[in-house]
Amino acid sequence: MQKRICLGVALLFALASQPISAQVRPGSVLERKVTVTFQQAPLESVLHTLRRQYGVRISYSNTALNLQQPVTLHVQNQPLRSVLNTLLADKNIGYELVGDQVVLHPARATKSRPVLKSSPASSPTKPASSKPTATKATASKVPVVVATSSSQPQAKAKPTEGMPAATTQPNTPDPVTPTTPASDSTAAPTTESEEPIRTTLTKKAQVSFLGPLGSNGLRAGQTVNHVSLNVLGGYAAGVDGFEAAGLFNVDRDTVAGVQVAGLANVVGRHLEGFQGAGLLNVLGGTGTGWQAAGLLNVAARPVNGIQTAGLFNYAGPVKPNAAAPDPASAATDVAPRRATVQAAGLFNVSLNEVRGIQAAGLFNAAGTVHGVQLAGLLNVADSVDGVSIAPLNFVRHGYHRFEATNTESWPVGASLKLGGSAAFYTFFAGAYDDFGSGSRRWALGYGAGTELLTQRRISVGLDAVALHVNEEQRGWTDNLNLHNQLRLLVGFAPFKAGGHLRLIAGPTVSVLVTQRYDSERGQVYSHLGENRRLWLEEGSATTRVLGWFGYCAGVRF
């Protein structure tokens, strides 16, 4: 019995003493089954997804490879080896397997042996296939990153952490200086991404009480769940299906499906589906689907779909990519192209573009609007391809006009028109009459209008305005004394076709509603209706309604 026990203990020590590298099966990494779909995505984004979703360690040199090439790929349950071969085809990029790590390098037409810095002579070369192939690297071999030239010394290649340094190949007679270790500041930086490698697991279902107190335990932050149920709150790498919590859900990367919580949802990277919370939703990247919250929705990047909140919605700008000069092929985030809706009780902010409707009780702010902005007080935008409807509309590249006019009722009038486009604008109006023997009167008002026809020389607009008329010598008339006017204005550009300077003229229809009591006459009366040919005259002891036709002429700037 003692011999058996001693034999067992010796066997355990023998197994434990084996090097870790002997337990690693590099070939198994390339045999992992992968299911991915990409449509014109940057190559770097595809590599990040493979690393994040399937735990593949990928290393590459940012300075030697073009990782902004667009990729369109659809594979289902295919080995990683096959996916990489398809992914890197025609990209001028090859790969090799070092331990359990996939190392990317420029595809080489020739393969040169290393050369001493002191010897400029070039080494003989032999042809190599340009197609990406995977080979197992041993401790005595590393992938050649850059072929040497007879006129320039070869730069040192820095090995990725965990890769052995380069040594002289057996058939190389010349001694070779080993590559610089990772701490050498002269070596070109080699990195797999901006973030450390995070291996992820996939599970069909998990149940937790709070954070790691659940079926996934301490691996909760490394697990993508198809079904996740959290009594109070949960944390996971991602969700591909359904997640619910009594208080909150926190997912490090991506949620694809439905996520609901009584209090809050937080997603680190991307949302594709529905996110609903009693208080707030926070999204660290882009989104496609619907965010609904009782209080607020916040997304760091654009959201393709719907944001609805009781208080406010925020969607950030497209992520800039300074490393790629061509935004068409290098943008990491794609600007919204689907219909988008933002609806909030207080305000909405979208720093990118809105394709649909942006509606809020107080104000809206957006970059470019393709559709409708509707607010109770204020709309702000860079440009509008549609209409902005609010008492105040400030659009940087919008409709801005000033008019000086003369009408049958007001010798001098002025209007400041602001809008997203000529399709709809609002304006502030004022008028004054203190000429001749009549009593002084002045008015302030507000209106809205549209241009029915806009050409380079001719335009036709329809305006409606309401002016409060003040006829008291002391200043403001407290009683209702409202001059309502409808104007049909034809504009003509006399100098420059398409210019802002236009002569305007057209007919008007006026309706005066007054409750002003004139003490001299002892009745309800307004001097604005004097000497008019009335088509409408109605009234009572407290209110009079008068209507007449007139004209409006002036200049628009």
Side-chain angles (χ1 to χ4, degrees):
M1 177 62 70
Q2 290 180 348
K3 291 182 178 180
R4 293 181 180 179
I5 294 175
C6 292
L7 181 61
V9 172
L11 180 60
L12 289 176
F13 275 104
L15 291 175
S17 64
Q18 293 296 321
I20 296 176
S21 59
Q23 302 177 24
V24 176
R25 295 183 300 160
S28 64
V29 175
L30 296 178
E31 301 306 321
R32 293 182 186 178
K33 300 298 182 181
V34 174
T35 298
V36 290
T37 298
F38 297 100
Q39 184 69 31
Q40 291 296 306
L43 176 58
E44 186 173 21
S45 177
V46 176
L47 296 176
H48 285 182
T49 300
L50 292 176
R51 173 188 60 81
R52 186 174 63 249
Q53 297 293 345
Y54 296 98
V56 181
R57 302 183 67 198
I58 303 176
S59 297
Y60 50 80
S61 171
N62 285 331
T63 59
L65 303 178
N66 179 11
L67 300 179
Q68 302 304 326
Q69 304 176 69
V71 172
T72 298
L73 180 67
H74 175 71
V75 294
Q76 186 157 356
N77 202 28
Q78 295 295 321
L80 178 62
R81 185 192 309 275
S82 174
V83 173
L84 288 175
N85 290 338
T86 303
L87 180 65
L88 301 179
D90 302 325
K91 298 289 189 298
N92 198 31
I93 298 175
Y95 72 93
E96 296 188 29
L97 192 66
V98 180
D100 64 342
Q101 185 168 243
V102 177
V103 180
L104 304 185
H105 57 76
R108 302 177 299 279
T110 60
K111 186 175 182 180
S112 305
R113 63 182 178 86
V115 178
L116 279 172
K117 289 184 177 180
S118 60
S119 175
S122 62
S123 60
T125 60
K126 61 180 181 178
S129 173
S130 61
K131 294 183 179 180
T133 56
T135 60
K136 293 184 181 180
T138 64
S140 62
K141 295 182 181 180
V142 294
V144 180
V145 177
V146 181
T148 46
S149 170
S150 59
S151 60
Q152 295 180 354
Q154 180 179 356
K156 298 179 182 180
K158 174 183 173 181
T160 307
E161 182 180 353
M163 290 177 56
T167 59
T168 306
Q169 298 189 19
N171 60 349
T172 303
D174 298 332
V176 179
T177 302
T179 56
T180 310
S183 61
D184 189 349
S185 61
T186 63
T190 301
T191 177
E192 66 180 67
S193 68
E194 297 177 355
E195 298 182 356
I197 297 171
R198 295 177 179 176
T199 303
T200 57
L201 309 172
T202 301
K203 287 195 175 182
K204 291 184 178 180
Q206 79 86 27
V207 177
S208 70
F209 180 75
L210 180 64
L213 301 179
S215 57
N216 288 337
L218 296 178
R219 290 183 173 268
Q222 300 175 339
T223 306
V224 176
N225 304 297
H226 291 293
V227 177
S228 178
L229 301 177
N230 306 304
V231 177
L232 293 181
Y235 175 70
V239 172
D240 186 7
F242 175 80
E243 183 174 46
L247 293 181
F248 64 88
N249 295 307
V250 178
D251 289 272
R252 187 188 72 203
D253 293 326
T254 299
V255 169
V258 177
Q259 186 184 51
V260 292
L263 188 62
N265 291 309
V266 179
V267 176
R269 291 183 179 272
H270 181 71
L271 168 69
E272 187 164 354
F274 173 78
Q275 191 179 47
L279 184 60
L280 63 92
N281 292 310
V282 178
L283 177 60
T286 59
T288 301
W290 183 9
Q291 278 189 313
L295 186 60
L296 59 96
N297 293 307
V298 176
R301 302 299 176 197
V303 174
N304 286 316
I306 304 173
Q307 282 186 309
T308 55
L311 187 59
F312 72 88
N313 295 307
Y314 172 84
V318 172
K319 182 179 180 180
N321 194 334
D326 182 9
S329 62
T332 302
D333 294 324
V334 179
R337 287 295 180 265
R338 302 181 184 181
T340 57
V341 175
Q342 277 191 321
L346 188 58
F347 65 90
N348 294 307
V349 176
S350 177
L351 298 186
N352 195 50
E353 65 177 12
V354 174
R355 288 182 172 268
I357 300 175
Q358 194 180 43
L362 188 59
F363 75 88
N364 294 308
T368 301
V369 178
H370 301 275
V372 178
Q373 266 190 322
L374 178 63
L377 178 61
L378 172 66
N379 285 319
V380 178
D382 181 75
S383 61
V384 173
D385 181 15
V387 295
S388 291
I389 304 175
L392 299 173
N393 297 289
F394 295 104
V395 181
R396 181 183 177 187
H397 300 99
Y399 185 86
H400 315 126
R401 301 292 186 270
F402 178 79
E403 292 178 355
T405 58
N406 171 269
T407 70
E408 83 291 339
S409 304
W410 300 100
V412 177
S415 300
L416 176 61
K417 298 183 175 181
L418 303 172
S421 66
F424 180 84
Y425 51 82
T426 58
F427 60 91
F428 299 95
Y432 185 78
D433 183 8
D434 191 17
F435 305 97
S437 59
S439 59
R440 180 176 68 91
R441 57 179 178 266
W442 58 282
L444 292 175
Y446 179 81
T450 181
E451 287 197 0
L452 306 174
L453 175 66
T454 303
Q455 295 185 351
R456 294 181 61 80
R457 287 286 184 183
I458 302 294
S459 64
V460 178
L462 184 64
D463 293 350
V465 61
L467 299 166
H468 179 75
V469 182
N470 299 284
E471 302 184 56
E472 311 304 323
Q473 294 298 322
R474 65 178 181 271
W476 189 264
T477 297
D478 295 328
N479 302 109
L480 175 66
N481 200 22
L482 198 63
H483 179 199
N484 306 284
Q485 192 174 66
L486 187 66
R487 306 169 180 173
L488 182 64
L489 300 177
V490 178
F492 174 72
F495 303 115
K496 181 181 177 181
H500 288 179
L501 179 62
R502 292 178 184 255
L503 302 178
I504 56 173
T508 64
V509 179
S510 295
V511 175
L512 175 68
V513 180
T514 181
Q515 294 180 344
R516 172 182 175 273
Y517 183 79
D518 192 317
S519 57
E520 295 180 0
R521 295 176 178 269
Q523 60 179 355
V524 174
Y525 185 79
S526 173
H527 296 282
L528 193 65
E530 290 180 347
N531 303 320
R532 311 291 180 212
R533 182 174 295 181
L534 302 177
W535 58 269
L536 174 64
E537 186 175 9
E538 301 288 343
S540 64
T542 57
T543 305
R544 292 191 68 191
V545 180
L546 307 176
W548 65 90
F549 296 105
Y551 73 90
C552 180
V555 180
R556 178 184 298 158
F557 301 94

